[in-house]
Amino acid sequence: MKTRFAVPLVLAIVAGALAVPVAAQVPEARLFPGGAVDPDESKIIEAIDELRESGALLDVPAVVSQLERKTCQLELLPAADRKLAGREIWQAAKRSHLRLGWYRLCTTCDQWHLKLGGGYVISADGAVATCEHLIRPEEDTTREGYLLAADDDGRVYPVTEVLASNRRADVAIVRVKAEGLTPLALNTAVAPGDSVWCYSEPLGQRGYFSQGIVNRFFHRGRQRAADGPVVISVSADWAPGSSGSAVLDECGNAVGHVSRISSFIEGGGESLRGRGLYLVIREAASARDLLRLIQPTE
C-alpha cells in the first residue's frame, strides 16, 4: 500500500511546489497588475490629502524657488567593488527606489492628477536623486500642486526641500522625510560594454527590471565643452514613467538615472510606415553630473 501511493504523493508535493508563483518565493518581490493600473493610487491620494491638510508638503512656489540651488553637502557611501548576482542588483535597486512626482490641480480640466516617476536614495538622511525635469512643476497648467514621494508599498513621504539641481544635465537632489532608507553609492567608473540594470515604471508597468549595456557617451546637440553634461546611452528597457530611476552597475552602484528617450527614423518624419530603419536611444544622466551638485561634508 505504501509502495502504491508513494510516487503519486511525491508527484503531488512537487506539483504543489511548482504551482507557487515564482515571485512569492523571492523575498521583497511583489506581484503587480500586468497592465498600467496602479493598485496603490487611492491609498496614495488619501495619504497625500492628509499631509496636504497638515501643511507638510512642498508646493509649487517653494519648489520653483529652491530649483535655483546649485550645490549641497552630503555624506555619500563609497562605491562598492564586489560583483553581485542579478537578483542582488534587483534587491539593491528596489530598496533604494522611490516613486517621485506631483499631485496637482489642473487648470484645463479642473481635476487633481497624480503623476509619478522615479528617484533613488543616495544618503541615509533622505537625499534622493532624480531628474530635474521630473520635479520642475508644469506651472502653465497647474493651479495648485505638491511634490511628494512614495515607496513600492504605497507609503507616502513628504519632500521637504530641493537641495540642488542642474536643468541642463537633468539632475536634481531632493530631501525626503522618511526613516530606514537604503542608499546607493555613486560610481563614475563605467565604460561602453559594461552591463547595467534599471528598476522603474515604464508606461505604468510597476516594478519592471531590465538589463542592458552602456552603448556610448555623448553630448546633446553641439555641446562640446569639457565641463558640459555627459549623456550615457543605455540599451536597458525604459519608457515614459521611468524618468529619475537609477541605472545600476554590476556592483549595485548608481552610474546615473533615466533621463529621456530619443527616436530616429531613416528618412525623417514621424511615421514608421515605409521609412526603413528605426532606432530608439535611451539616455541616462550621468553620476558625474550628479556629483557636481554635491560638496563633501567636513
Side-chain angles (χ1 to χ4, degrees), residues 3-289:
T3 303
R4 290 177 59 191
F5 289 98
V7 173
L9 180 59
V10 170
L11 291 176
I13 293 173
V14 172
L18 292 176
V20 177
V22 173
Q25 301 175 37
V26 181
E28 302 182 33
R30 179 183 175 188
L31 293 174
F32 291 111
V37 176
D38 186 348
D40 299 321
E41 183 167 331
S42 60
K43 177 182 176 181
I44 290 174
I45 291 175
E46 182 179 353
I48 292 171
D49 287 337
E50 292 180 3
L51 290 170
R52 182 164 59 98
E53 291 175 4
S54 70
L57 295 178
L58 210 59
D59 62 12
V60 170
V63 172
V64 171
S65 172
Q66 293 174 15
L67 280 170
E68 299 301 317
R69 299 174 178 177
K70 300 305 176 188
T71 60
C72 63
Q73 284 193 325
L74 293 176
E75 186 173 347
L76 302 176
L77 294 175
D81 58 6
R82 181 180 71 88
K83 293 184 180 180
L84 304 177
R87 178 179 296 194
E88 292 176 303
I89 297 170
W90 164 78
Q91 289 173 328
K94 183 181 184 300
R95 289 170 182 168
S96 71
H97 180 78
L98 287 176
R99 307 173 71 198
L100 192 69
W102 287 92
Y103 185 58
R104 65 185 187 90
L105 179 61
C106 186
T107 59
T108 57
C109 68
D110 203 31
Q111 298 291 322
W112 284 91
H113 302 282
L114 179 64
K115 185 178 180 180
L116 302 175
Y120 52 107
V121 181
I122 59 172
S123 74
D125 59 353
V128 176
T130 188
C131 289
E132 194 275 352
H133 81 254
L134 188 64
I135 64 169
R136 180 172 291 277
E138 301 173 17
E139 293 184 85
D140 294 342
T141 58
T142 300
R143 183 182 308 173
E144 183 180 352
Y146 301 92
L147 189 63
L148 63 118
D151 62 21
D152 262 354
D153 295 317
R155 290 183 289 264
V156 176
Y157 308 105
V159 174
T160 59
E161 62 178 325
V162 178
L163 296 174
S165 72
N166 182 329
R167 189 171 191 177
R168 187 178 168 202
D170 202 17
V171 292
I173 304 171
V174 301
R175 177 86 67 192
V176 172
K177 186 178 181 181
E179 297 181 355
L181 299 174
T182 304
L184 294 177
L186 301 178
N187 180 29
T188 59
V190 62
D194 288 352
S195 294
V196 287
W197 289 258
C198 182
Y199 180 94
S200 70
E201 190 175 335
L203 298 176
Q205 304 299 313
R206 294 281 304 278
Y208 190 87
F209 189 57
S210 65
Q211 180 184 5
I213 62 169
V214 173
N215 302 123
R216 63 169 181 161
F217 304 111
F218 69 97
H219 296 276
R220 289 196 179 105
R222 297 182 179 276
Q223 299 172 0
R224 290 289 186 272
D227 61 347
V230 172
V231 183
I232 307 175
S233 265
V234 172
S235 65
D237 288 330
W238 63 64
S242 299
S243 290
S245 299
V247 178
L248 287 78
D249 65 15
E250 61 186 358
C251 297
N253 304 301
V255 300
H257 57 250
V258 176
S259 178
R260 69 178 189 177
I261 296 175
S262 298
S263 301
F264 297 89
I265 305 169
E266 185 183 34
E270 297 181 356
S271 174
L272 299 182
R273 183 175 300 172
R275 293 291 185 181
L277 299 179
Y278 178 62
L279 177 65
V280 176
I281 301 294
R282 292 173 174 84
E283 303 174 15
S286 69
R288 189 198 75 164
D289 288 319

